[in-house]
Amino acid sequence: MSGIYVHLPFCPYICPYCDFAKWPLRRSQAQQYLLALEREIDCAPPIRARTLYLGGGTPNTYGGQQIASLTQRLITRFGPFEEATIEVNPDLVTDGDLLTYARGGIGRLSIGVQSMIPQEIATLGRQHTTEDVRAVVNSARRCGLRSISIDLMFAVPGQTVETWMRTLRETIALSPDHVSVYGLTIEEGTPFWSWREREPSAFFDDAAEATLYETAIEALATAGYQQYEVSNFAIPGHECAHNINYWANGEYLGFGVGAASYRNGERSIHTRSISEYLCAVEGGRPIPSERETLRDAAKSGEAAMLALRTRDGVRFRDFKERYGVDFLQFYAPVIGDLRAAGLLDVDDQCARLTKRGLFLANDVCGEFVTFA
Ligand code: SF4
């Protein structure tokens, strides 16, 4: 077992593009949820894991002490961890919280910034200021958090290459150890989905979005960040070990509503219904989950999809050893099409996405899953 993920789904406000498992914060429900989580954790087999990730939602809707005691419980059950991360929203986290995290065994902070432009922050329905971001980064360093990551978003309605460059420059000026860069995705059922139906011209087309993505790759490379995955850039030594385990098709165990696990070839995802989750845990019953056991071909297709997202790509020898599949031979038709389209580079040892392939990574990597 390599990774433990814990989902803390409450948010003080709901962003209009969000499709995660999240709920508006209600203190009594958040407390009830925390107790259920503790119970789920206590009932899990006492295995060892290398990394911990507290994600959301907005995990820092819980106070520093609550997070520290949850982390201690997880360390006792599954640790010690080589890396422990918490996601935070910059307008809510306090200096006291950050200090408590650091003392409680959390070493990595992932800050949901998205933009440094007030107008874009407002469009995304978020409430922080750029001053909040600076204050959190500075305070996190003073408190001794070892690795600081900032999440940014491009293709936000109203964004331009200039404003995106400003966001990148101001981010780089804060010297985070890690930056994640995601294109806005419009999910069905969200207010942004309805907005795009009404006003498609407010949203970016693929070509304009690709320009923003390439702008980020160049700006971050110039500043010394290495791109080690489609959306992730790090100062060497600060890559996120927890996510690297996902891309390496490693095992992980997820706790909480909507959390995914992957063990012994079986993938399962807990219900996204908070009432179903609470009822099951409190009643001592199995948590309703979707389960899927991956066949060999599906397993190797998924492994190829994940590996291609990374800088190392698919290494043929490792792939054959782990999945018993000759990558070049088995996927020859897909590889041929992707190379012809300029999306995949292949040499005698490995296959990697090209620059254009990186931008279209979801579609390109998905080809290996559907082929099987
Ligand atoms: S803070 Fe994150 S999880 Fe919460 S609503 Fe906004 S995007 Fe979704």
Side-chain angles (χ1 to χ4, degrees):
M1 179 60 55
S2 286
I4 300 290
Y5 175 81
V6 179
H7 195 68
L8 298 163
F10 298 98
C11 294
Y13 46 82
I14 300 298
C15 308
Y17 58 90
C18 179
D19 186 40
F20 299 137
K22 81 300 176 180
W23 277 267
L25 177 62
R26 266 190 271 128
R27 291 276 167 210
S28 58
Q29 196 179 36
Q31 187 53 35
Q32 189 186 0
Y33 180 82
L34 193 57
L35 294 173
L37 255 186
E38 291 173 356
R39 193 160 173 181
E40 189 194 355
I41 290 162
D42 290 348
C43 291
I47 47 184
R48 290 284 144 238
R50 288 177 49 232
T51 64
L52 169 67
Y53 199 101
L54 305 178
T58 303
N60 62 302
T61 49
Y62 288 99
Q65 283 303 342
Q66 288 174 302
I67 293 292
S69 67
L70 176 65
T71 305
Q72 276 311 311
R73 186 179 226 98
L74 290 156
I75 290 172
T76 307
R77 194 93 190 141
F78 309 115
F81 301 113
E82 292 166 23
E83 176 192 278
T85 303
I86 184 167
E87 288 178 353
V88 296
N89 180 333
D91 57 315
L92 291 169
V93 70
T94 66
D95 292 1
D97 289 336
L98 294 169
L99 192 59
T100 314
Y101 298 161
R103 289 184 176 158
I106 291 175
R108 188 169 183 275
L109 197 68
S110 174
I111 312 171
V113 173
Q114 320 312 348
S115 172
M116 294 292 227
I117 308 296
Q119 182 57 48
E120 293 169 16
I121 296 171
T123 300
L124 291 170
R126 304 185 69 115
Q127 297 183 5
H128 61 265
T129 64
T130 51
E131 200 36 58
D132 291 330
V133 178
R134 284 186 199 99
V136 172
V137 171
N138 293 333
S139 174
R141 293 213 187 289
R142 279 197 308 276
C143 292
L145 286 144
R146 285 189 301 277
S147 219
I148 297 172
S149 179
I150 286 184
D151 277 8
L152 299 178
M153 189 174 278
F154 62 93
V156 177
Q159 197 172 44
T160 63
V161 174
E162 288 68 34
T163 60
W164 178 228
M165 268 309 292
R166 212 171 102 204
T167 287
L168 290 163
R169 269 198 307 272
E170 290 187 21
T171 299
I172 290 164
L174 294 172
S175 304
D177 307 289
H178 185 283
V179 181
S180 299
V181 168
Y182 301 102
L184 172 69
T185 52
I186 312 294
E187 305 288 353
E188 195 165 357
T190 62
F192 267 35
W193 179 274
S194 320
W195 181 12
R196 193 176 63 179
E197 303 256 283
R198 287 192 312 274
E199 195 188 352
S201 62
F203 293 82
F204 281 74
D205 61 26
D206 280 356
E209 208 173 306
T211 303
L212 297 174
Y213 180 56
E214 281 164 20
T215 303
I217 292 176
E218 272 172 39
L220 290 165
T222 305
Y225 294 86
Q226 288 187 0
Q227 183 173 19
Y228 68 103
E229 194 265 348
V230 172
S231 304
N232 287 281
F233 304 76
I235 298 297
H238 287 275
E239 296 83 359
C240 176
H242 185 82
N243 287 339
I244 285 174
N245 175 55
Y246 289 142
W247 302 315
N249 206 21
E251 296 198 323
Y252 48 89
L253 200 52
F255 294 95
V257 71
S261 299
Y262 180 53
R263 288 189 75 194
N264 305 322
E266 185 189 82
R267 196 171 35 204
S268 65
I269 304 179
H270 284 354
T271 175
R272 284 175 68 130
S273 156
I274 202 156
S275 53
E276 274 184 18
Y277 173 81
L278 291 173
C279 265
V281 178
E282 288 167 358
R285 292 189 299 278
I287 298 161
S289 304
E290 279 176 27
R291 291 180 192 280
E292 183 187 10
T293 302
L294 298 181
R295 294 174 294 111
D296 285 349
K299 227 186 260 179
S300 71
E302 194 140 315
M305 171 188 77
L306 292 165
L308 280 172
R309 297 187 65 86
T310 67
R311 177 179 49 201
D312 292 344
V314 171
R315 305 194 70 80
F316 306 140
R317 210 170 71 185
D318 297 348
F319 199 83
K320 172 100 181 156
E321 274 172 19
R322 195 159 162 202
Y323 303 103
V325 170
D326 183 320
F327 182 78
L328 288 176
Q329 212 173 59
F330 188 77
Y331 293 104
V334 183
I335 293 168
D337 288 350
L338 294 174
R339 289 182 80 179
L343 299 168
L344 194 69
D345 270 340
V346 176
D347 62 25
D348 55 346
Q349 292 183 26
C350 66
R352 291 191 188 93
L353 297 180
T354 60
K355 201 167 160 191
R356 199 165 110 76
L358 282 172
F359 176 66
L360 298 171
N362 288 345
D363 295 334
V364 175
C365 298
E367 293 286 320
F368 290 87
V369 177
T370 48
F371 179 74

